[in-house]
Amino acid sequence: MKKLLKISLAVAATVGAVAQAQAQDVAAGQKKVAMCIGCHGIPGYQSSFPEVHRVPMISGQNAKFIAASLTAYAKGERKHPTMRGIAQTLTEQDIADISAYYEQHGKTAPAPEQVPAPSAEVKVLLDKGACISCHGANFSKPIDGSYPKIAGQHADYLYVALKSYQVEGNPLVGRSNAIMAGQVKQYKLSELKAISKYLASLPGELTSTPQPRLR
């Protein structure tokens, strides 16, 4: 686990440095999210690719993580045709501004330090993946901002996202994060569902906050 934590910190530092390379402008970001609103600005909105699931809540998410994710979509490291098409239209400055905007958009009270404990079965699964060592004890305080807050995120989205790390050789689906792939490949799909259901049940800081479409 210590070795994994050292690797995670090193990767986070590199990703974080890239994600923060541009100065962020929240006001500018508000003017650049038109393509985001149609999915992420509608509470409960569902996507049909690669299967039907609710789109992730990103209001209140870490700016560094949003920036790292958009960059990964643009490079094809995260495979999702719609997200890649959008991300490739963004400059580094656009990504920095949009990320900063969503970090403060719909901001809620901090998540509690202590969250409900998982069942014994789920605890074994979380310990197996050393999930707390990266995402924090309450799953809202990751060790680095380039890692996501995942407490309270939609269970169906978390399940689809986790499964994507198990995919290999598919040009349209999959995520090429070596650390997450190594962890997620340990699990059966039923175990990923159990983990996702627990994480979704926790109090968190993420929301789907409607945004005005007329600017």
Side-chain angles (χ1 to χ4, degrees), residues 20 24 26 33 58-67 95-108 144-147 149 205-207:
Q20 292 295 301
Q24 298 176 333
V26 172
V33 297
I58 60 174
S59 292
Q61 186 58 271
N62 294 319
K64 286 173 67 175
F65 170 71
I66 295 174
I95 289 175
D97 295 342
I98 289 170
S99 301
Y101 171 72
Y102 273 111
E103 183 175 66
Q104 58 78 44
H105 183 247
K107 201 169 184 67
T108 64
D144 186 271
S146 60
Y147 293 162
K149 300 175 184 179
E205 300 173 4
L206 305 176
T207 67

PDB file of all heavy atoms in Angstrom, residues 20 24 26 33 58-67 95-108 144-147 149 205-207:
ATOM      1  N   GLN A  20      -2.795  22.835 -13.692  1.00  0.00           N
ATOM      2  CA  GLN A  20      -2.756  24.172 -13.139  1.00  0.00           C
ATOM      3  C   GLN A  20      -1.832  25.120 -13.918  1.00  0.00           C
ATOM      4  O   GLN A  20      -1.533  26.226 -13.473  1.00  0.00           O
ATOM      5  CB  GLN A  20      -2.290  24.106 -11.680  1.00  0.00           C
ATOM      6  CG  GLN A  20      -3.306  23.433 -10.759  1.00  0.00           C
ATOM      7  CD  GLN A  20      -4.591  24.219 -10.648  1.00  0.00           C
ATOM      8  OE1 GLN A  20      -4.581  25.371 -10.228  1.00  0.00           O
ATOM      9  NE2 GLN A  20      -5.705  23.607 -11.018  1.00  0.00           N
ATOM     10  N   GLN A  24      -6.514  30.549 -13.856  1.00  0.00           N
ATOM     11  CA  GLN A  24      -7.943  30.270 -13.950  1.00  0.00           C
ATOM     12  C   GLN A  24      -8.764  31.542 -13.806  1.00  0.00           C
ATOM     13  O   GLN A  24      -8.424  32.431 -13.039  1.00  0.00           O
ATOM     14  CB  GLN A  24      -8.349  29.271 -12.857  1.00  0.00           C
ATOM     15  CG  GLN A  24      -7.646  27.930 -12.992  1.00  0.00           C
ATOM     16  CD  GLN A  24      -7.984  26.992 -11.846  1.00  0.00           C
ATOM     17  OE1 GLN A  24      -8.296  27.430 -10.745  1.00  0.00           O
ATOM     18  NE2 GLN A  24      -7.930  25.711 -12.095  1.00  0.00           N
ATOM     19  N   VAL A  26     -12.790  32.297 -13.244  1.00  0.00           N
ATOM     20  CA  VAL A  26     -14.135  31.776 -13.026  1.00  0.00           C
ATOM     21  C   VAL A  26     -15.159  32.494 -13.899  1.00  0.00           C
ATOM     22  O   VAL A  26     -16.023  31.873 -14.517  1.00  0.00           O
ATOM     23  CB  VAL A  26     -14.531  31.890 -11.534  1.00  0.00           C
ATOM     24  CG1 VAL A  26     -16.001  31.521 -11.342  1.00  0.00           C
ATOM     25  CG2 VAL A  26     -13.646  30.981 -10.686  1.00  0.00           C
ATOM     26  N   VAL A  33     -19.339  27.445 -20.859  1.00  0.00           N
ATOM     27  CA  VAL A  33     -19.887  26.136 -20.495  1.00  0.00           C
ATOM     28  C   VAL A  33     -21.160  25.774 -21.254  1.00  0.00           C
ATOM     29  O   VAL A  33     -21.880  24.857 -20.853  1.00  0.00           O
ATOM     30  CB  VAL A  33     -20.152  26.050 -18.967  1.00  0.00           C
ATOM     31  CG1 VAL A  33     -18.851  26.171 -18.196  1.00  0.00           C
ATOM     32  CG2 VAL A  33     -21.143  27.114 -18.520  1.00  0.00           C
ATOM     33  N   ILE A  58     -20.815  17.428 -11.559  1.00  0.00           N
ATOM     34  CA  ILE A  58     -19.489  18.058 -11.590  1.00  0.00           C
ATOM     35  C   ILE A  58     -19.444  19.391 -10.866  1.00  0.00           C
ATOM     36  O   ILE A  58     -18.353  19.911 -10.619  1.00  0.00           O
ATOM     37  CB  ILE A  58     -18.975  18.223 -13.034  1.00  0.00           C
ATOM     38  CG1 ILE A  58     -19.926  19.093 -13.862  1.00  0.00           C
ATOM     39  CG2 ILE A  58     -18.765  16.858 -13.689  1.00  0.00           C
ATOM     40  CD1 ILE A  58     -19.385  19.413 -15.249  1.00  0.00           C
ATOM     41  N   SER A  59     -20.592  19.966 -10.519  1.00  0.00           N
ATOM     42  CA  SER A  59     -20.573  21.198  -9.731  1.00  0.00           C
ATOM     43  C   SER A  59     -20.058  20.867  -8.336  1.00  0.00           C
ATOM     44  O   SER A  59     -20.580  19.980  -7.666  1.00  0.00           O
ATOM     45  CB  SER A  59     -21.981  21.794  -9.640  1.00  0.00           C
ATOM     46  OG  SER A  59     -22.417  22.256 -10.898  1.00  0.00           O
ATOM     47  N   GLY A  60     -19.010  21.581  -7.909  1.00  0.00           N
ATOM     48  CA  GLY A  60     -18.386  21.304  -6.614  1.00  0.00           C
ATOM     49  C   GLY A  60     -17.222  20.337  -6.700  1.00  0.00           C
ATOM     50  O   GLY A  60     -16.572  20.064  -5.687  1.00  0.00           O
ATOM     51  N   GLN A  61     -16.940  19.821  -7.900  1.00  0.00           N
ATOM     52  CA  GLN A  61     -15.814  18.899  -8.074  1.00  0.00           C
ATOM     53  C   GLN A  61     -14.502  19.679  -8.074  1.00  0.00           C
ATOM     54  O   GLN A  61     -14.470  20.883  -8.314  1.00  0.00           O
ATOM     55  CB  GLN A  61     -15.983  18.136  -9.401  1.00  0.00           C
ATOM     56  CG  GLN A  61     -14.981  17.047  -9.682  1.00  0.00           C
ATOM     57  CD  GLN A  61     -14.931  15.960  -8.631  1.00  0.00           C
ATOM     58  OE1 GLN A  61     -14.171  16.085  -7.648  1.00  0.00           O
ATOM     59  NE2 GLN A  61     -15.739  14.931  -8.812  1.00  0.00           N
ATOM     60  N   ASN A  62     -13.400  18.998  -7.802  1.00  0.00           N
ATOM     61  CA  ASN A  62     -12.091  19.641  -7.803  1.00  0.00           C
ATOM     62  C   ASN A  62     -11.736  20.160  -9.198  1.00  0.00           C
ATOM     63  O   ASN A  62     -11.837  19.425 -10.184  1.00  0.00           O
ATOM     64  CB  ASN A  62     -11.005  18.656  -7.357  1.00  0.00           C
ATOM     65  CG  ASN A  62     -11.162  18.230  -5.919  1.00  0.00           C
ATOM     66  OD1 ASN A  62     -11.482  19.048  -5.054  1.00  0.00           O
ATOM     67  ND2 ASN A  62     -10.933  16.958  -5.640  1.00  0.00           N
ATOM     68  N   ALA A  63     -11.289  21.415  -9.266  1.00  0.00           N
ATOM     69  CA  ALA A  63     -10.915  22.001 -10.556  1.00  0.00           C
ATOM     70  C   ALA A  63      -9.782  21.225 -11.215  1.00  0.00           C
ATOM     71  O   ALA A  63      -9.794  20.995 -12.434  1.00  0.00           O
ATOM     72  CB  ALA A  63     -10.520  23.467 -10.370  1.00  0.00           C
ATOM     73  N   LYS A  64      -8.803  20.819 -10.434  1.00  0.00           N
ATOM     74  CA  LYS A  64      -7.670  20.090 -11.000  1.00  0.00           C
ATOM     75  C   LYS A  64      -8.123  18.771 -11.621  1.00  0.00           C
ATOM     76  O   LYS A  64      -7.594  18.348 -12.659  1.00  0.00           O
ATOM     77  CB  LYS A  64      -6.609  19.840  -9.918  1.00  0.00           C
ATOM     78  CG  LYS A  64      -5.822  21.077  -9.530  1.00  0.00           C
ATOM     79  CD  LYS A  64      -4.903  20.817  -8.342  1.00  0.00           C
ATOM     80  CE  LYS A  64      -3.785  19.862  -8.672  1.00  0.00           C
ATOM     81  NZ  LYS A  64      -2.837  19.708  -7.530  1.00  0.00           N
ATOM     82  N   PHE A  65      -9.107  18.131 -10.995  1.00  0.00           N
ATOM     83  CA  PHE A  65      -9.601  16.871 -11.538  1.00  0.00           C
ATOM     84  C   PHE A  65     -10.371  17.103 -12.827  1.00  0.00           C
ATOM     85  O   PHE A  65     -10.221  16.353 -13.803  1.00  0.00           O
ATOM     86  CB  PHE A  65     -10.490  16.148 -10.526  1.00  0.00           C
ATOM     87  CG  PHE A  65     -11.202  14.965 -11.128  1.00  0.00           C
ATOM     88  CD1 PHE A  65     -10.498  13.823 -11.460  1.00  0.00           C
ATOM     89  CD2 PHE A  65     -12.565  15.005 -11.384  1.00  0.00           C
ATOM     90  CE1 PHE A  65     -11.140  12.732 -12.050  1.00  0.00           C
ATOM     91  CE2 PHE A  65     -13.213  13.928 -11.961  1.00  0.00           C
ATOM     92  CZ  PHE A  65     -12.499  12.786 -12.293  1.00  0.00           C
ATOM     93  N   ILE A  66     -11.220  18.121 -12.856  1.00  0.00           N
ATOM     94  CA  ILE A  66     -11.976  18.419 -14.079  1.00  0.00           C
ATOM     95  C   ILE A  66     -11.014  18.729 -15.213  1.00  0.00           C
ATOM     96  O   ILE A  66     -11.175  18.236 -16.342  1.00  0.00           O
ATOM     97  CB  ILE A  66     -12.942  19.596 -13.851  1.00  0.00           C
ATOM     98  CG1 ILE A  66     -14.012  19.207 -12.816  1.00  0.00           C
ATOM     99  CG2 ILE A  66     -13.613  20.002 -15.161  1.00  0.00           C
ATOM    100  CD1 ILE A  66     -14.930  20.354 -12.428  1.00  0.00           C
ATOM    101  N   ALA A  67      -9.990  19.530 -14.934  1.00  0.00           N
ATOM    102  CA  ALA A  67      -9.006  19.877 -15.955  1.00  0.00           C
ATOM    103  C   ALA A  67      -8.264  18.635 -16.458  1.00  0.00           C
ATOM    104  O   ALA A  67      -8.065  18.454 -17.666  1.00  0.00           O
ATOM    105  CB  ALA A  67      -8.013  20.901 -15.407  1.00  0.00           C
ATOM    106  N   ILE A  95     -10.051  25.136 -20.691  1.00  0.00           N
ATOM    107  CA  ILE A  95     -10.134  24.055 -19.708  1.00  0.00           C
ATOM    108  C   ILE A  95      -9.897  24.585 -18.298  1.00  0.00           C
ATOM    109  O   ILE A  95     -10.617  24.225 -17.354  1.00  0.00           O
ATOM    110  CB  ILE A  95      -9.130  22.934 -20.056  1.00  0.00           C
ATOM    111  CG1 ILE A  95      -9.604  22.184 -21.304  1.00  0.00           C
ATOM    112  CG2 ILE A  95      -8.959  21.969 -18.880  1.00  0.00           C
ATOM    113  CD1 ILE A  95      -8.622  21.140 -21.803  1.00  0.00           C
ATOM    114  N   ALA A  96      -8.918  25.444 -18.149  1.00  0.00           N
ATOM    115  CA  ALA A  96      -8.619  26.014 -16.835  1.00  0.00           C
ATOM    116  C   ALA A  96      -9.794  26.839 -16.322  1.00  0.00           C
ATOM    117  O   ALA A  96     -10.173  26.740 -15.143  1.00  0.00           O
ATOM    118  CB  ALA A  96      -7.360  26.872 -16.909  1.00  0.00           C
ATOM    119  N   ASP A  97     -10.388  27.637 -17.198  1.00  0.00           N
ATOM    120  CA  ASP A  97     -11.493  28.502 -16.794  1.00  0.00           C
ATOM    121  C   ASP A  97     -12.747  27.699 -16.457  1.00  0.00           C
ATOM    122  O   ASP A  97     -13.415  27.958 -15.445  1.00  0.00           O
ATOM    123  CB  ASP A  97     -11.810  29.509 -17.907  1.00  0.00           C
ATOM    124  CG  ASP A  97     -10.670  30.489 -18.149  1.00  0.00           C
ATOM    125  OD1 ASP A  97      -9.799  30.618 -17.273  1.00  0.00           O
ATOM    126  OD2 ASP A  97     -10.661  31.122 -19.229  1.00  0.00           O
ATOM    127  N   ILE A  98     -13.083  26.745 -17.304  1.00  0.00           N
ATOM    128  CA  ILE A  98     -14.267  25.910 -17.070  1.00  0.00           C
ATOM    129  C   ILE A  98     -14.117  25.120 -15.777  1.00  0.00           C
ATOM    130  O   ILE A  98     -15.064  24.995 -14.987  1.00  0.00           O
ATOM    131  CB  ILE A  98     -14.493  24.962 -18.271  1.00  0.00           C
ATOM    132  CG1 ILE A  98     -14.966  25.769 -19.485  1.00  0.00           C
ATOM    133  CG2 ILE A  98     -15.506  23.872 -17.924  1.00  0.00           C
ATOM    134  CD1 ILE A  98     -14.983  24.970 -20.776  1.00  0.00           C
ATOM    135  N   SER A  99     -12.937  24.594 -15.545  1.00  0.00           N
ATOM    136  CA  SER A  99     -12.681  23.800 -14.334  1.00  0.00           C
ATOM    137  C   SER A  99     -12.839  24.649 -13.085  1.00  0.00           C
ATOM    138  O   SER A  99     -13.435  24.218 -12.090  1.00  0.00           O
ATOM    139  CB  SER A  99     -11.283  23.196 -14.397  1.00  0.00           C
ATOM    140  OG  SER A  99     -11.135  22.377 -15.540  1.00  0.00           O
ATOM    141  N   ALA A 100     -12.293  25.863 -13.139  1.00  0.00           N
ATOM    142  CA  ALA A 100     -12.417  26.770 -11.998  1.00  0.00           C
ATOM    143  C   ALA A 100     -13.868  27.138 -11.751  1.00  0.00           C
ATOM    144  O   ALA A 100     -14.317  27.227 -10.597  1.00  0.00           O
ATOM    145  CB  ALA A 100     -11.597  28.031 -12.248  1.00  0.00           C
ATOM    146  N   TYR A 101     -14.615  27.341 -12.815  1.00  0.00           N
ATOM    147  CA  TYR A 101     -16.026  27.689 -12.681  1.00  0.00           C
ATOM    148  C   TYR A 101     -16.810  26.579 -11.986  1.00  0.00           C
ATOM    149  O   TYR A 101     -17.563  26.831 -11.033  1.00  0.00           O
ATOM    150  CB  TYR A 101     -16.630  27.975 -14.054  1.00  0.00           C
ATOM    151  CG  TYR A 101     -18.132  28.122 -14.020  1.00  0.00           C
ATOM    152  CD1 TYR A 101     -18.734  29.251 -13.449  1.00  0.00           C
ATOM    153  CD2 TYR A 101     -18.966  27.125 -14.517  1.00  0.00           C
ATOM    154  CE1 TYR A 101     -20.109  29.378 -13.394  1.00  0.00           C
ATOM    155  CE2 TYR A 101     -20.343  27.243 -14.462  1.00  0.00           C
ATOM    156  CZ  TYR A 101     -20.911  28.374 -13.902  1.00  0.00           C
ATOM    157  OH  TYR A 101     -22.278  28.490 -13.840  1.00  0.00           O
ATOM    158  N   TYR A 102     -16.628  25.345 -12.433  1.00  0.00           N
ATOM    159  CA  TYR A 102     -17.410  24.249 -11.854  1.00  0.00           C
ATOM    160  C   TYR A 102     -17.002  23.927 -10.420  1.00  0.00           C
ATOM    161  O   TYR A 102     -17.814  23.429  -9.645  1.00  0.00           O
ATOM    162  CB  TYR A 102     -17.329  23.005 -12.742  1.00  0.00           C
ATOM    163  CG  TYR A 102     -18.393  23.021 -13.818  1.00  0.00           C
ATOM    164  CD1 TYR A 102     -18.064  23.176 -15.153  1.00  0.00           C
ATOM    165  CD2 TYR A 102     -19.744  22.928 -13.485  1.00  0.00           C
ATOM    166  CE1 TYR A 102     -19.044  23.221 -16.139  1.00  0.00           C
ATOM    167  CE2 TYR A 102     -20.730  22.968 -14.452  1.00  0.00           C
ATOM    168  CZ  TYR A 102     -20.382  23.114 -15.773  1.00  0.00           C
ATOM    169  OH  TYR A 102     -21.358  23.169 -16.733  1.00  0.00           O
ATOM    170  N   GLU A 103     -15.759  24.190 -10.059  1.00  0.00           N
ATOM    171  CA  GLU A 103     -15.353  23.927  -8.678  1.00  0.00           C
ATOM    172  C   GLU A 103     -16.162  24.764  -7.689  1.00  0.00           C
ATOM    173  O   GLU A 103     -16.531  24.284  -6.613  1.00  0.00           O
ATOM    174  CB  GLU A 103     -13.863  24.217  -8.491  1.00  0.00           C
ATOM    175  CG  GLU A 103     -13.366  23.898  -7.079  1.00  0.00           C
ATOM    176  CD  GLU A 103     -11.874  24.079  -6.942  1.00  0.00           C
ATOM    177  OE1 GLU A 103     -11.411  25.227  -7.061  1.00  0.00           O
ATOM    178  OE2 GLU A 103     -11.165  23.068  -6.737  1.00  0.00           O
ATOM    179  N   GLN A 104     -16.479  25.999  -8.061  1.00  0.00           N
ATOM    180  CA  GLN A 104     -17.225  26.860  -7.138  1.00  0.00           C
ATOM    181  C   GLN A 104     -18.719  26.888  -7.441  1.00  0.00           C
ATOM    182  O   GLN A 104     -19.514  27.374  -6.628  1.00  0.00           O
ATOM    183  CB  GLN A 104     -16.660  28.287  -7.179  1.00  0.00           C
ATOM    184  CG  GLN A 104     -16.669  28.955  -8.546  1.00  0.00           C
ATOM    185  CD  GLN A 104     -18.015  29.479  -8.974  1.00  0.00           C
ATOM    186  OE1 GLN A 104     -18.718  30.093  -8.170  1.00  0.00           O
ATOM    187  NE2 GLN A 104     -18.399  29.205 -10.217  1.00  0.00           N
ATOM    188  N   HIS A 105     -19.141  26.324  -8.568  1.00  0.00           N
ATOM    189  CA  HIS A 105     -20.549  26.371  -8.962  1.00  0.00           C
ATOM    190  C   HIS A 105     -21.387  25.424  -8.104  1.00  0.00           C
ATOM    191  O   HIS A 105     -21.061  24.254  -7.950  1.00  0.00           O
ATOM    192  CB  HIS A 105     -20.691  25.979 -10.435  1.00  0.00           C
ATOM    193  CG  HIS A 105     -22.087  26.058 -10.942  1.00  0.00           C
ATOM    194  ND1 HIS A 105     -22.805  24.942 -11.324  1.00  0.00           N
ATOM    195  CD2 HIS A 105     -22.918  27.121 -11.133  1.00  0.00           C
ATOM    196  CE1 HIS A 105     -24.004  25.321 -11.731  1.00  0.00           C
ATOM    197  NE2 HIS A 105     -24.100  26.630 -11.616  1.00  0.00           N
ATOM    198  N   GLY A 106     -22.456  25.951  -7.533  1.00  0.00           N
ATOM    199  CA  GLY A 106     -23.325  25.125  -6.702  1.00  0.00           C
ATOM    200  C   GLY A 106     -22.660  24.617  -5.454  1.00  0.00           C
ATOM    201  O   GLY A 106     -23.036  23.569  -4.910  1.00  0.00           O
ATOM    202  N   LYS A 107     -21.645  25.338  -4.989  1.00  0.00           N
ATOM    203  CA  LYS A 107     -20.846  24.887  -3.845  1.00  0.00           C
ATOM    204  C   LYS A 107     -21.718  24.670  -2.623  1.00  0.00           C
ATOM    205  O   LYS A 107     -22.577  25.480  -2.293  1.00  0.00           O
ATOM    206  CB  LYS A 107     -19.753  25.906  -3.534  1.00  0.00           C
ATOM    207  CG  LYS A 107     -18.594  25.333  -2.726  1.00  0.00           C
ATOM    208  CD  LYS A 107     -17.447  26.315  -2.696  1.00  0.00           C
ATOM    209  CE  LYS A 107     -16.233  25.744  -1.995  1.00  0.00           C
ATOM    210  NZ  LYS A 107     -15.637  24.628  -2.721  1.00  0.00           N
ATOM    211  N   THR A 108     -21.528  23.571  -1.951  1.00  0.00           N
ATOM    212  CA  THR A 108     -22.308  23.200  -0.780  1.00  0.00           C
ATOM    213  C   THR A 108     -21.429  23.248   0.466  1.00  0.00           C
ATOM    214  O   THR A 108     -20.235  23.530   0.390  1.00  0.00           O
ATOM    215  CB  THR A 108     -22.882  21.784  -0.936  1.00  0.00           C
ATOM    216  OG1 THR A 108     -21.785  20.845  -1.003  1.00  0.00           O
ATOM    217  CG2 THR A 108     -23.712  21.657  -2.207  1.00  0.00           C
ATOM    218  N   ASP A 144      -4.973  14.526  -3.456  1.00  0.00           N
ATOM    219  CA  ASP A 144      -4.576  15.580  -4.379  1.00  0.00           C
ATOM    220  C   ASP A 144      -5.800  16.003  -5.171  1.00  0.00           C
ATOM    221  O   ASP A 144      -6.673  15.182  -5.472  1.00  0.00           O
ATOM    222  CB  ASP A 144      -3.479  15.077  -5.334  1.00  0.00           C
ATOM    223  CG  ASP A 144      -2.930  16.202  -6.211  1.00  0.00           C
ATOM    224  OD1 ASP A 144      -3.497  16.419  -7.304  1.00  0.00           O
ATOM    225  OD2 ASP A 144      -1.971  16.868  -5.798  1.00  0.00           O
ATOM    226  N   GLY A 145      -5.863  17.293  -5.525  1.00  0.00           N
ATOM    227  CA  GLY A 145      -7.018  17.804  -6.245  1.00  0.00           C
ATOM    228  C   GLY A 145      -7.217  17.218  -7.626  1.00  0.00           C
ATOM    229  O   GLY A 145      -8.289  17.355  -8.218  1.00  0.00           O
ATOM    230  N   SER A 146      -6.202  16.544  -8.174  1.00  0.00           N
ATOM    231  CA  SER A 146      -6.358  15.916  -9.479  1.00  0.00           C
ATOM    232  C   SER A 146      -7.086  14.581  -9.381  1.00  0.00           C
ATOM    233  O   SER A 146      -7.352  13.942 -10.402  1.00  0.00           O
ATOM    234  CB  SER A 146      -5.001  15.722 -10.152  1.00  0.00           C
ATOM    235  OG  SER A 146      -4.169  14.893  -9.374  1.00  0.00           O
ATOM    236  N   TYR A 147      -7.392  14.150  -8.148  1.00  0.00           N
ATOM    237  CA  TYR A 147      -8.232  12.976  -7.938  1.00  0.00           C
ATOM    238  C   TYR A 147      -9.647  13.461  -7.612  1.00  0.00           C
ATOM    239  O   TYR A 147      -9.823  14.519  -7.001  1.00  0.00           O
ATOM    240  CB  TYR A 147      -7.711  12.121  -6.784  1.00  0.00           C
ATOM    241  CG  TYR A 147      -6.385  11.449  -7.042  1.00  0.00           C
ATOM    242  CD1 TYR A 147      -5.628  10.967  -5.987  1.00  0.00           C
ATOM    243  CD2 TYR A 147      -5.888  11.309  -8.335  1.00  0.00           C
ATOM    244  CE1 TYR A 147      -4.413  10.345  -6.203  1.00  0.00           C
ATOM    245  CE2 TYR A 147      -4.679  10.685  -8.566  1.00  0.00           C
ATOM    246  CZ  TYR A 147      -3.942  10.199  -7.504  1.00  0.00           C
ATOM    247  OH  TYR A 147      -2.739   9.585  -7.730  1.00  0.00           O
ATOM    248  N   LYS A 149     -13.535  13.855  -6.058  1.00  0.00           N
ATOM    249  CA  LYS A 149     -14.443  13.592  -4.950  1.00  0.00           C
ATOM    250  C   LYS A 149     -15.452  12.580  -5.494  1.00  0.00           C
ATOM    251  O   LYS A 149     -15.975  12.752  -6.600  1.00  0.00           O
ATOM    252  CB  LYS A 149     -15.181  14.861  -4.547  1.00  0.00           C
ATOM    253  CG  LYS A 149     -14.290  16.016  -4.102  1.00  0.00           C
ATOM    254  CD  LYS A 149     -15.126  17.268  -3.839  1.00  0.00           C
ATOM    255  CE  LYS A 149     -14.274  18.468  -3.485  1.00  0.00           C
ATOM    256  NZ  LYS A 149     -15.094  19.687  -3.244  1.00  0.00           N
ATOM    257  N   GLU A 205     -20.190  16.514  -1.657  1.00  0.00           N
ATOM    258  CA  GLU A 205     -20.161  17.939  -2.001  1.00  0.00           C
ATOM    259  C   GLU A 205     -20.505  18.193  -3.467  1.00  0.00           C
ATOM    260  O   GLU A 205     -20.389  19.313  -3.947  1.00  0.00           O
ATOM    261  CB  GLU A 205     -18.761  18.497  -1.697  1.00  0.00           C
ATOM    262  CG  GLU A 205     -18.376  18.346  -0.226  1.00  0.00           C
ATOM    263  CD  GLU A 205     -16.935  18.746   0.053  1.00  0.00           C
ATOM    264  OE1 GLU A 205     -16.257  19.208  -0.895  1.00  0.00           O
ATOM    265  OE2 GLU A 205     -16.485  18.592   1.202  1.00  0.00           O
ATOM    266  N   LEU A 206     -20.937  17.154  -4.171  1.00  0.00           N
ATOM    267  CA  LEU A 206     -21.219  17.270  -5.598  1.00  0.00           C
ATOM    268  C   LEU A 206     -22.706  17.531  -5.842  1.00  0.00           C
ATOM    269  O   LEU A 206     -23.557  16.989  -5.136  1.00  0.00           O
ATOM    270  CB  LEU A 206     -20.805  15.985  -6.325  1.00  0.00           C
ATOM    271  CG  LEU A 206     -19.358  15.535  -6.124  1.00  0.00           C
ATOM    272  CD1 LEU A 206     -19.124  14.201  -6.820  1.00  0.00           C
ATOM    273  CD2 LEU A 206     -18.394  16.589  -6.641  1.00  0.00           C
ATOM    274  N   THR A 207     -22.990  18.342  -6.859  1.00  0.00           N
ATOM    275  CA  THR A 207     -24.388  18.617  -7.215  1.00  0.00           C
ATOM    276  C   THR A 207     -24.522  18.719  -8.734  1.00  0.00           C
ATOM    277  O   THR A 207     -23.543  18.895  -9.458  1.00  0.00           O
ATOM    278  CB  THR A 207     -24.876  19.951  -6.606  1.00  0.00           C
ATOM    279  OG1 THR A 207     -24.163  21.036  -7.222  1.00  0.00           O
ATOM    280  CG2 THR A 207     -24.688  19.990  -5.104  1.00  0.00           C
TER     281      THR A 207
END
